[in-house]
Amino acid sequence: MSSHTYLTVKALTKYIKRKFDADTHLRDVYVKGELSNVKVHSSGHIYFTLKDDAARVTSVMFAMNAKTLKFTPESGMNVLVRGDINVFEAAGQYQLYAASMQPDGIGELFLAFEQLKKKLEQEGLFHPARKKPIPTFPKKIGVVTSKTGAAIRDILTTLERRYPISEVVVFPSIVQGPQAAPSIVKSIEQANGFGDIDVLIVGRGGGSIEDLWAFNEEIVARAIANSHVPIISAVGHETDTTIADFVSDLRAPTPTAAAEMAVPSKENLMKNILSYQSASLHFVSKKLADEKNRYKRAIESPVMATPEKLYRPFIERYVRAEQQLQRETSRLYREKGRHFAQLQNRFIQLSPQKVIDQHHKSVHSITNQLNQVVLSTFEKHRQQFIGSLRTLEALNPLKIMDRGYNITYKDDKLVKSVDDVQQGDSIFVTLSDGRIEAIVQQVEMKERGD
């Protein structure tokens, strides 16, 4: 058996890690190289590889350090990294734990500026079509800046000098330091919620790029882009350009210039008013002179010397029209009179009483004719009836039976022959004064030919 003692992988790794921990040179190292395989985790940790032509080292920057970066690390970027070297036990490899990072060759802020500018430009936030017009005569002007800085004094002085009739509302804001960006965003949102702000000046006085950096923050740029109130950016001096200048509706080189661009100049307005007044007076004077000349020419014209000639033809036309009207009126009166008389005669002819009288005579005549016909028919039928009565009287069997004849029935049938009965049959004899029921005792038939 071997006398060697075998270590576990874990024990070996811990041993190596203790070596790294003990090495003071690895606790604070400065390394430069090119970023590769950069991955930003949702937790905020940044994982990357730092490499050069000959070697590479796996690296990580935890979120607490990554959030202090002004720029976004990208693959291919040359950077300067400060951190420490240690062992990642789970993978069994050493790696660089970056505490800080800055671009190699260009400034960190410049890189962050360019990155954000490129990002927002690609989103269209700088497009001229998004720019809102600045009102020519604003009634209420909002100012977002420090209430104690020189910028607010310059802005208020300029507004008062150029356009004192406007109302100014100041939204105090922190304009420098870590709290500046959220403070500027809050003030812009307050101004938008104020209700009747016509234009908003956002800015501050000059300073270093670090002093002005709040106006390069993304949240400030998006607050300006989302503002429904037109915004004039006024950051630093004329040579200072920030992201806020690109996204705002109008960029002013200085706060004083922003105030000048926000309102018209009262001196210029007065000049314009005087100019318009002079032009108006000249126009009115010329118009009056022209009208006077027209009036003079009209008065002196031959027509106006004998003005009755102007309306004489109209009087003659009026007289002729009046005479024609009288003639036509008389003619129409006569025609209508004749027509009325004709209608009156027709009305008399068609009078309801007259029609009723005619129908009454007709009814009376028809009634007489009907009465004659009825009487004649009645008499005719009466004579026929009397004749029929006499005939019936003559043919009445009862009259015959009065002379001693009778009628015999058997079973309600008339007995017409001795063949209709037999001995023992029950018969009924009808006489003129009554009825006899009898039984046939004998039937004797009379000889034929008797």
Side-chain angles (χ1 to χ4, degrees), residues 210-280:
E210 289 81 5
D211 295 338
L212 307 181
W213 189 252
F215 295 91
N216 288 321
E217 295 283 1
E218 184 172 352
I219 58 173
V220 174
R222 295 198 181 280
I224 294 174
N226 294 330
S227 172
H228 65 76
V229 178
I231 290 181
I232 302 175
S233 65
V235 183
H237 302 298
E238 186 169 1
T239 56
D240 298 322
T241 302
T242 64
I243 297 296
D245 294 327
F246 290 107
V247 75
S248 64
D249 300 295
L250 183 63
R251 185 231 175 196
T254 63
T256 299
E260 293 175 346
M261 296 164 77
V263 296
S265 166
K266 67 179 182 182
E267 286 79 8
N268 291 336
L269 290 176
M270 288 302 298
K271 289 179 182 177
N272 291 337
I273 292 172
L274 292 175
S275 175
Y276 292 143
Q277 184 181 36
S278 176
S280 298

Side-chain angles (χ1 to χ4, degrees), residues 277-288:
Q277 184 181 36
S278 176
S280 298
L281 288 174
H282 175 73
F283 174 78
V284 172
S285 299
K286 184 175 183 306
K287 190 68 177 178
L288 285 175

Side-chain angles (χ1 to χ4, degrees), residues 186-367:
K186 182 179 178 181
S187 295
I188 292 174
E189 292 174 348
Q190 287 178 340
N192 275 269
F194 205 75
D196 55 353
I197 299 295
D198 297 315
V199 62
L200 190 62
I201 298 173
V202 179
R204 54 153 290 160
S208 65
I209 185 172
E210 289 81 5
D211 295 338
L212 307 181
W213 189 252
F215 295 91
N216 288 321
E217 295 283 1
E218 184 172 352
I219 58 173
V220 174
R222 295 198 181 280
I224 294 174
N226 294 330
S227 172
H228 65 76
V229 178
I231 290 181
I232 302 175
S233 65
V235 183
H237 302 298
E238 186 169 1
T239 56
D240 298 322
T241 302
T242 64
I243 297 296
D245 294 327
F246 290 107
V247 75
S248 64
D249 300 295
L250 183 63
R251 185 231 175 196
T254 63
T256 299
E260 293 175 346
M261 296 164 77
V263 296
S265 166
K266 67 179 182 182
E267 286 79 8
N268 291 336
L269 290 176
M270 288 302 298
K271 289 179 182 177
N272 291 337
I273 292 172
L274 292 175
S275 175
Y276 292 143
Q277 184 181 36
S278 176
S280 298
L281 288 174
H282 175 73
F283 174 78
V284 172
S285 299
K286 184 175 183 306
K287 190 68 177 178
L288 285 175
D290 293 343
E291 293 301 322
K292 284 181 179 177
N293 290 332
R294 287 183 57 191
Y295 175 74
K296 183 178 179 182
R297 288 196 298 271
I299 291 296
E300 294 175 351
S301 65
V303 174
M304 293 304 295
T306 54
E308 65 276 8
K309 291 182 179 179
L310 291 174
Y311 54 82
R312 183 181 298 165
F314 297 101
I315 293 177
E316 293 174 354
R317 288 174 60 185
Y318 168 75
V319 172
R320 288 197 297 270
E322 185 178 29
Q323 292 172 349
Q324 184 177 4
L325 177 63
Q326 290 177 350
R327 289 195 299 271
E328 287 297 319
T329 302
S330 300
R331 184 182 63 80
L332 287 174
Y333 179 78
R334 290 193 298 274
E335 289 182 356
K336 296 299 179 183
R338 288 195 296 271
H339 184 63
F340 176 74
Q342 293 172 355
L343 291 176
Q344 190 174 27
N345 291 333
R346 290 181 61 187
F347 177 75
I348 293 172
Q349 293 296 326
L350 297 175
S351 172
Q353 184 60 46
K354 189 171 182 177
V355 173
I356 291 172
D357 292 343
Q358 290 176 350
H359 284 292
H360 181 72
K361 289 180 181 178
S362 178
V363 170
H364 181 69
S365 174
I366 292 171
T367 302

